[in-house]
Amino acid sequence: MNPESIFEPDGDRFVPTEAALGPWTDQALHGGPPAMLMAREIERVAADQPMFVARLTIELMRPVGRIPLEVRSRMIRPGRRVQLVEASLWSGELEVARATGLRMRRSEVAVPELDEKPPHGPPESVEAWSEGYRSGPAYHVLGVEARSPIQPGARRGPGWAWFRLRLPVVPDEEPSGLMRICAAADFPNGISNVVEPTKITYVNPDLTIYVHRLPVGEWVLLDAKTWLEPHGTGVAEGALYDRHGRLGRSTQSLLVEARSAG
């Protein structure tokens, strides 16, 4: 039976469903679901005026397992025009992930309109992903619908894909535009790999998302590229679009290691 949401409430905690799982193991989450859960919390922190989350910096401090998670939040820097809000995920007394949201006041300002259309065709122009990385339930199969010209796990250069949430993050709640961006933003290293995944692992311990506009509709395009260095680090980044134009950018630091034989 397929899950009906990515997380299920359990009192004051949230329990990940199979739709939150990462591609390599059935015991740890993909980075997208924790990012969405913390973005949701940052948006929920009360403010005296309408605020816009312009930057979201996420520290994936340790693998997030299939465990009940408590979400905590606090205002780091209050202000009328600029605020810093922190959200974190806890397993008991162990902090597993943290996000800092830079919120700016909303105001009507006359500015030039930039016409930067998506650099690739619409989602209907490409095929949906199959299971790809591994068989069995996972976020990239159950949590989101992903479409690209190449199936995941292949050896390829800079890649792109469209993403949309199949499920709500929590039951009976429409995902916000920021949460829809987070649903796609943790995929740059996965869709723009430059070495076969069977030979090298490149794990991202962080994720930074800059947003200048929220998406219209469900679909978010990620146009990504990866750079790897022989000293064992790298960077992956992706430009974010909806059907109408540019939304922002996501960036990941990469820890690069040779995959052990067997």
Side-chain angles (χ1 to χ4, degrees), residues 9-155:
D10 179 18
D12 293 333
R13 300 182 298 177
F14 295 89
V15 180
T17 68
E18 291 180 324
L21 295 176
W24 304 114
T25 172
D26 63 357
Q27 294 302 313
L29 308 191
H30 187 279
M36 289 188 289
L37 194 59
M38 291 186 289
R40 174 182 180 269
E41 185 68 16
I42 285 171
E43 290 187 300
R44 288 162 61 89
V45 172
D48 293 334
Q49 60 281 323
M51 305 296 289
F52 182 86
V53 179
R55 190 200 72 215
L56 196 62
T57 303
I58 298 159
E59 312 292 347
L60 301 170
M61 302 167 72
R62 46 185 52 83
V64 183
R66 294 183 67 178
I67 49 178
L69 297 167
E70 179 187 355
V71 186
R72 303 178 187 176
S73 63
R74 65 188 181 109
M75 182 73 73
I76 301 174
R77 180 198 186 280
R80 294 179 56 249
R81 296 187 298 173
V82 178
Q83 300 174 346
L84 285 175
V85 182
E86 180 184 273
S88 54
L89 299 182
W90 294 75
S91 172
E93 292 306 308
L94 182 65
E95 186 180 14
V96 296
R98 181 184 303 170
T100 303
L102 174 67
R103 305 198 311 190
M104 299 181 181
R105 63 93 183 93
R106 290 176 178 264
S107 179
E108 293 296 326
V109 181
V111 296
E113 290 189 16
L114 297 179
D115 186 20
E116 187 175 352
K117 298 298 184 185
H120 304 289
E124 294 81 11
S125 67
V126 286
E127 296 295 324
W129 283 3
S130 62
E131 292 180 350
Y133 295 98
R134 68 175 179 87
S135 60
Y139 171 66
H140 71 278
V141 177
L142 296 177
V144 291
E145 178 182 357
R147 292 175 169 264
S148 70
I150 302 174
Q151 290 290 311
R155 186 189 186 283

Side-chain angles (χ1 to χ4, degrees), residues 212-228:
H212 59 261
R213 179 174 68 82
L214 295 177
V216 177
E218 297 180 325
W219 287 100
V220 173
L221 170 67
L222 183 66
D223 190 27
K225 188 173 182 178
T226 290
W227 295 265
L228 304 180

